[in-house]
Amino acid sequence: MCNDCSKHKLQKTSHQPMRGPCKGQDNDRPSGPRSAQSIHESKDNRLRWKMPAMMKWVEWGILSNECTASVSLQQAMAWWWPLLLELLTVLPTWAGDELLNICMNAKHHKRVPGPEDKLYEECIPWKDNACCTLTTSWEAHLDVSPLYNFSLFHCGLLMPGCRKHFIQAICFYECSPNLGPWIRPVGSLGWEEAPSGQGEQVVNAPLCQEDCEEWWEDCRMSYTCKSNWRGGWDWSQGKNRCPKGAQCLPFSHYFPTPADLCEKTWSNSFKASPERRNSGRCLQKWFEPAQGNPNVAVARLFASSAPSWELSYTLMVCSVFLPFLS
C-alpha cells in the first residue's frame, strides 16, 4: 500500500512511535542533530536553527509526502496542522536567540566575540566581550584611521569633545557584540559603494536620546562639508576629501538637530531613539565599564521580537492554502 515508505525509514530512538501520514505504517521519530537552512546567511553560518529534533519532524514529514497519495487530504491536514502551529509559535524564539552575542560579517570584526584585555582608550568598555581586536581599537583612534582611510579632519580639526564622540561611535560599531538585531546584508542597503570585505552592516540601531544630544552639542561648532558620510567623497588622494563645490560649514548647518547627526552621518546605521538611558529600550554608544554593559538587555529585548522572515513567510503561506485543500 505504501511501498516507498521503507526507503525513508529513519533511526529509532527511545521515543514512542508516532503514526505518520501513511495509514497503517508506524514510523519512529528521528533524532540527532542536522543543520537546517540558515535563517540569515553570513560568513560564519551562525544563524542556524536551535532545535534539531523539531526540524527532524519537518524532514520526516517531507520525506513522507511520497506516501500521501494513499491518504486523504483530510488526514494529511490533521497531521500537518499541529506541526505548523507549533513551528509558528517557536520561530521568534529560535531567531531571537541567534541574534545575541554575535559579530557581524565585516572587514575588521572577529568571527566570534571574546575577551580582549588590552583594548585602547574609548574601546575599553568592551574588553570583557568584544568583536574588535587591540589593533582595531588602536586604529580607531588615529586621525586618519586605516580602518577605512577615513579622516575626521576633512574640514580642519574637530573640537576635542566632538572627536571623542566619533571615536566612541567607531568603537561601539567595531567592538559591540550586542548589535545582532540590527545587522543586515550589505546588498540590501543601497550603498553607493560597499567597503571591501564588508558583508554586513548595522541599520537603525536605536541610540539613546542623551547620546545623540550630547554628540550634537559637542560637535555643532566643528566643521564638515557633507551630511551623509557614507559616500560621495573625493578619494583621488587615497583618503576622503570634500567633493568639488562642497562648503565647510558648522555641523549645525548640515545636521540641524541631534537626530540628524545620529542618523545621517553613516546612512542610518544609527537611529535617534526617544528613549533615555537606563530605560532598557535604547543602546548606549559608550558606558562605564565598572557598571556593566547595558546593551546586553536591550539586544535581548529587540531580539525577542525579531521575526525569522524567510521561513515564517513560507509557513504563513502554507497556513493560508491548507484549508482550500479540504
Side-chain angles (χ1 to χ4, degrees):
M1 180 176 72
C2 197
N3 295 329
D4 289 339
C5 289
S6 59
K7 65 182 179 182
H8 298 308
K9 192 170 184 180
L10 302 173
Q11 181 180 355
K12 289 182 177 292
T13 70
S14 59
H15 296 283
Q16 291 296 320
M18 180 177 62
R19 188 169 300 279
C22 297
K23 186 176 181 181
Q25 181 94 16
D26 281 337
N27 293 304
D28 295 323
R29 184 194 307 178
S31 63
R34 178 182 174 90
S35 295
Q37 177 67 33
S38 60
I39 303 170
H40 166 59
E41 293 190 2
S42 62
K43 181 178 179 182
D44 56 2
N45 293 320
R46 61 178 176 266
L47 296 184
R48 292 186 178 276
W49 296 108
K50 281 291 191 180
M51 297 186 180
M54 176 61 73
M55 294 311 295
K56 275 291 188 180
W57 275 45
V58 178
E59 179 190 64
W60 179 76
I62 292 173
L63 292 176
S64 299
N65 279 345
E66 297 180 20
C67 307
T68 56
S70 62
V71 184
S72 70
L73 288 173
Q74 187 175 15
Q75 288 174 307
M77 287 178 61
W79 185 85
W80 273 106
W81 266 116
L83 174 61
L84 181 64
L85 293 175
E86 189 165 359
L87 283 171
L88 289 171
T89 300
V90 301
L91 271 173
T93 301
W94 294 350
D97 287 347
E98 294 293 356
L99 296 176
L100 301 175
N101 194 41
I102 61 173
C103 301
M104 75 179 87
N105 174 15
K107 186 175 182 179
H108 305 290
H109 286 68
K110 294 157 45 176
R111 288 178 60 87
V112 294
E116 293 286 342
D117 295 336
K118 298 181 180 180
L119 294 184
Y120 198 66
E121 291 187 359
E122 301 301 330
C123 296
I124 288 177
W126 292 275
K127 65 182 179 64
D128 292 336
N129 193 33
C131 287
C132 62
T133 63
L134 168 61
T135 300
T136 298
S137 71
W138 176 70
E139 292 178 343
H141 289 74
L142 300 180
D143 292 343
V144 181
S145 174
L147 294 177
Y148 303 103
N149 291 327
F150 189 89
S151 173
L152 294 172
F153 302 150
H154 47 270
C155 281
L157 296 177
L158 298 179
M159 299 293 288
C162 180
R163 178 177 179 273
K164 182 177 180 179
H165 280 288
F166 276 100
I167 294 174
Q168 289 177 348
I170 294 171
C171 286
F172 174 53
Y173 185 89
E174 299 291 340
C175 300
S176 177
N178 310 121
L179 295 171
W182 303 278
I183 292 175
R184 299 292 181 270
V186 165
S188 67
L189 303 177
W191 283 5
E192 178 182 293
E193 182 179 358
S196 176
Q198 187 88 4
E200 296 175 327
Q201 171 194 320
V202 171
V203 180
N204 289 332
L207 290 189
C208 296
Q209 182 176 332
E210 298 95 325
D211 286 63
C212 293
E213 290 175 345
E214 292 172 6
W215 193 354
W216 183 83
E217 184 64 33
D218 288 341
C219 285
R220 64 189 183 93
M221 299 308 294
S222 294
Y223 281 71
T224 185
C225 59
K226 283 170 53 49
S227 59
N228 185 351
W229 289 11
R230 179 63 72 185
W233 297 98
D234 176 3
W235 293 95
S236 61
Q237 297 186 14
K239 67 176 183 178
N240 62 305
R241 301 174 66 200
C242 294
K244 186 177 180 180
Q247 290 183 288
C248 287
L249 297 170
F251 266 66
S252 56
H253 173 82
Y254 289 101
F255 308 107
T257 67
D260 289 325
L261 176 59
C262 269
E263 296 175 359
K264 293 181 180 179
T265 310
W266 285 311
S267 298
N268 299 106
S269 290
F270 304 133
K271 179 180 179 180
S273 172
E275 304 292 346
R276 306 189 73 86
R277 292 172 186 166
N278 301 318
S279 67
R281 296 185 294 274
C282 62
L283 299 166
Q284 294 179 212
K285 68 177 174 57
W286 197 85
F287 53 89
E288 290 290 345
Q291 298 178 6
N293 187 347
N295 298 329
V296 174
V298 179
R300 185 172 297 279
L301 173 67
F302 280 84
S304 66
S305 59
S308 172
W309 292 110
E310 293 88 345
L311 192 53
S312 61
Y313 176 78
T314 302
L315 292 175
M316 286 298 294
V317 170
C318 289
S319 68
V320 169
F321 282 98
L322 273 176
F324 295 98
L325 300 177
S326 57

